[in-house]
Structures are given as C-alpha cells and as structure tokens.
Amino acid sequence: MKAFGFLSFGHYGAGSAPGEYGAREALQQAVEIGVGADEIGVNGAYFRVHHFAEQAASPMPLLSAVAARTSRIEVGTGVIDMRYENPLYLAEEAAALDLLSDQRVALGVSRGSPEPALRGWESFGYSDPSETKAANMAREKFERFLAAVRGHELAPADPAQFGPDVALRVEPHSPGLDRRIWWGAGSAATAEWAAEKGVNMMSSTLLTEATGAAFADLQRVQIDRYRTAWKAAGHGWTPRVSVSRSIFPITTDLDDLYFGRRGRGQADQIGIIDDTRSTFGKTYAGEPDELIEQLRSDAAVEAADTVLLTIPSQLGVDYNLHILESFAEYVAPALGWRPNTNGPVEPNPIGSGEGS
C-alpha cells in the first residue's frame, strides 16, 4: 500500500429529525471532509454514486467543489454507473474538471450496483433490450466514453465549415486523463476485461464470487489475474489497483463505543446481490498495532497500491477526519503509506506483488 483515500457513500435523510442531515448538509460536509483530508495528507477523496436514493448522486459538482478548495488530493468516484450516463457528455465534464484541478481527477466507473429504482436508467432515457441488468449497454457506453477521453475523433464535422471527411473530438481534451480512469470490477473476469481495455482496476467492496475463500484472498486472485492480463495486452505503462476496506483504529473511548464491538470476531459475509452469491469483506476495528498486523496479512491490501477507507459520513466532519488522521498517524506509515505531499501516487510494478 502506497496511498490511501476515503470512500464516502454520502448518506443523508430528510433533515427533519434531531441530528439528521439533509442533502445540503451532507454535500457541504463532504467538501469539508475533503479539505481536511487534503491537509492530513490523504491521497484521495472518492464518492459513491447512486440514483433515486438519499445519498451521493451526480458527482461532478461535488468533485469540483472539493477540487477548488484543495491542492493535492485526488478527487474521484467509486463508481459512476454508466447505465445512467451520456458517455460523451461525461467525457466533457471529466476533462474540464481535470484541467481545472491540475489533473487530479481519478474516476471510477462501472456497470454499478443494484439501485432502488426498477430499471432506473430507463427513466434517464436509456434502454438495453438485450438484457435486464443492462451490463452490455454499460460496457458499450464505457468504451465510447474512453474513446472520447482519449481524444478520438467521434463526430463527423459539418462539411460546409471543415470540408469533406473531417471528424471532431470531444472538447475540452485533457491529455493523460485516460490513465486515471478506473473500472470497478466485481469479479476476476471483469478485472481481466478492464486490463484488456487499458484502464486501472478498482476492486469492489464485494465480489460476485463465493468459493469459500477469504474475501482478501479472492481479491488477490482478481488482482493477479488483472495484472497478468495487463502484461499480456502490452499497454506500455503501469496501471494502479485499489481495494476498499472498512478500517477503524480504536484510539479513544468514543471509537470503542462506535466500533470496538463490531471488530471483535467479525468475519467475511456471504450474501445474494443481483441474484448472485457474493462475498462481502469484514470490518477491521482494533488498536493500531492490531490493525497493522491484520492488514499486513491481508493479501489484497499487500498487493494494491491504494486502499480506500469507507467512512461513516453520517457521523459528521470532525469524527470522520479523526478516523482518517488516526489511520494516517498510527497505521498507514507501517504499511508503506506515502502522503500526498510526496506527489502523485506511483503504481506498484507489474509482477511485484508488493504493497509498499
């Protein structure tokens, strides 16, 4: 592990109950967490994207606000559901934000997870008659988005203005942004697909596999297969790999009250998502020395260059920054962490299997 960021789901409520945040407060607090994290040295501020739910949705205004008030931290998503997106418009927005933020954008995109709305992408104006989960549409949109980000000429120009046989690319164009696009992979097969397409790999908070192996070991297989496929594809540059974890250092009585019992004896969980038997990772909660030992034994954390800490955003700015600061001070240095003051995150070399 060379870097860590936070991953916020951005939950909020109606704002009517005592202490309950509404959408405005949730968004404003997300920005403040990003600003504080940048000052701590955290490497990335990532936000989940869900539709028709009381949590983070359209990410670009939020990422722009965080980028405008910070100077080093990456701003990104984990993940944008391509089923709901116009790929060329998304490419325009991403490039504009990347240029405004001095190339600190790191977008995670994917097919997305189940949403509250039934086939909600159809309400957004998109349809995929080939299958109910619209995975084919998501991948087709992603490939068009990636082509736009890479500066491919996708639209025929008006011959009255440009002459015959001229094509135009999406503007603005931000060179190098394509090397900061991630595919959120929920299985080893989708990880290999991401490698073939030449994008970074963001391993999901769950895996649509349940073999009886530990979640971390399943993720390690996924990472190894991704890197093998990447090497075979011969892209000519080294990608990054991230994994997400719920990690809570217990350094105060309040930490123990919130998370102490949760971390004792907890194991990976098996459940059904999207009609598929899946594995969910456990929560790590304990004293710093205990966490260091556990995370050093986590095969996926050891292999990834970046770890995203899922944070309980509902607990407010101060407490979430306390979690991030405790991890930065007491745990991350022992795992090989390099704060954002050291510059952009460097990926682990292909075949190294090293996390530091």
Side-chain angles (χ1 to χ4, degrees):
M1 186 197 88
K2 295 179 178 178
F4 83 91
F6 69 83
L7 176 60
S8 173
F9 287 62
H11 292 290
Y12 58 89
S16 55
E20 182 182 60
Y21 301 129
R24 181 181 68 176
E25 292 83 1
L27 288 164
Q28 291 173 341
Q29 290 192 12
V31 174
E32 295 302 326
I33 293 172
V35 171
D38 188 44
E39 295 171 354
I40 291 168
V42 176
N43 307 91
Y46 286 77
F47 299 91
R48 289 293 295 266
V49 180
H50 282 290
H51 302 287
F52 300 107
E54 292 179 333
Q55 60 186 100
S58 179
M60 291 304 177
L62 175 56
L63 300 186
S64 299
V66 175
R69 293 188 53 194
T70 57
S71 59
R72 297 181 301 272
I73 198 168
E74 286 181 340
V75 293
T77 51
V79 294
I80 294 172
D81 188 334
M82 289 302 299
R83 296 174 295 183
Y84 289 78
E85 298 294 330
N86 177 315
L88 298 195
Y89 188 71
L90 180 62
E92 287 182 346
E93 289 188 313
L97 177 56
D98 199 47
L99 294 170
L100 287 169
S101 65
D102 294 327
Q103 298 187 310
R104 288 188 285 131
V105 169
L107 288 185
V109 299
S110 189
R111 191 213 73 180
S113 59
E115 297 280 353
L118 180 63
R119 301 177 65 89
W121 52 89
E122 293 182 350
S123 297
F124 272 53
Y126 306 112
S127 63
D128 181 359
S130 66
E131 59 140 44
T132 58
K133 298 177 185 178
N136 292 333
M137 181 179 69
R139 290 193 180 194
E140 289 170 1
K141 284 187 174 188
F142 174 69
E143 293 196 46
R144 191 160 177 79
F145 163 74
L146 193 58
V149 167
R150 287 174 170 162
H152 295 183
E153 296 170 340
L154 299 176
D158 180 358
Q161 299 182 58
F162 295 91
D165 302 321
V166 176
L168 303 176
R169 71 181 186 184
V170 163
E171 296 286 354
H173 174 65
S174 183
L177 174 59
D178 63 312
R179 297 192 178 189
R180 283 172 282 111
I181 302 299
W182 308 62
W183 182 261
S187 69
T190 52
E192 291 176 331
W193 182 85
E196 293 168 3
K197 298 303 174 184
V199 293
N200 304 292
M201 197 267 284
M202 181 177 287
S203 188
S204 176
T205 50
L206 62 89
L207 294 175
T208 54
E209 299 169 333
T211 65
F215 179 77
D217 293 335
L218 287 172
Q219 270 192 326
R220 180 56 182 265
V221 171
Q222 182 190 42
I223 293 169
D224 290 344
R225 285 178 57 176
Y226 167 79
R227 288 180 168 150
T228 298
W230 183 278
K231 187 175 181 179
H235 295 298
W237 57 282
T238 305
R240 288 175 56 191
V241 171
S242 75
V243 297
S244 300
R245 291 289 183 272
S246 297
I247 304 173
F248 302 103
I250 306 299
T251 63
T252 69
D253 289 341
L254 186 58
D255 297 332
D256 192 45
L257 177 65
Y258 279 146
F259 302 108
R261 294 184 182 88
R262 184 177 304 185
R264 295 189 185 114
Q266 203 217 52
D268 299 334
Q269 300 177 54
I270 305 296
I272 303 296
I273 188 166
D274 251 4
D275 302 320
T276 303
R277 186 173 166 84
S278 305
T279 306
F280 302 76
K282 65 182 181 181
T283 294
Y284 288 95
E287 295 183 1
D289 289 346
E290 179 184 1
L291 291 181
I292 291 169
E293 181 179 354
Q294 291 175 346
L295 292 169
R296 280 176 172 169
S297 299
D298 185 310
V301 169
E302 188 267 343
D305 57 71
T306 302
V307 174
L308 304 183
L309 272 61
T310 59
I311 61 169
S313 56
Q314 307 96 309
L315 294 182
V317 176
D318 291 344
Y319 189 73
N320 279 281
L321 290 179
H322 161 71
I323 292 172
L324 296 175
E325 192 165 25
S326 293
F327 187 75
E329 182 174 354
Y330 300 115
V331 180
L335 303 177
W337 174 57
R338 303 171 189 177
N340 63 32
T341 51
N342 286 23
V345 181
E346 294 293 331
N348 291 333
I350 295 291
S352 71
E354 295 294 325
S356 59

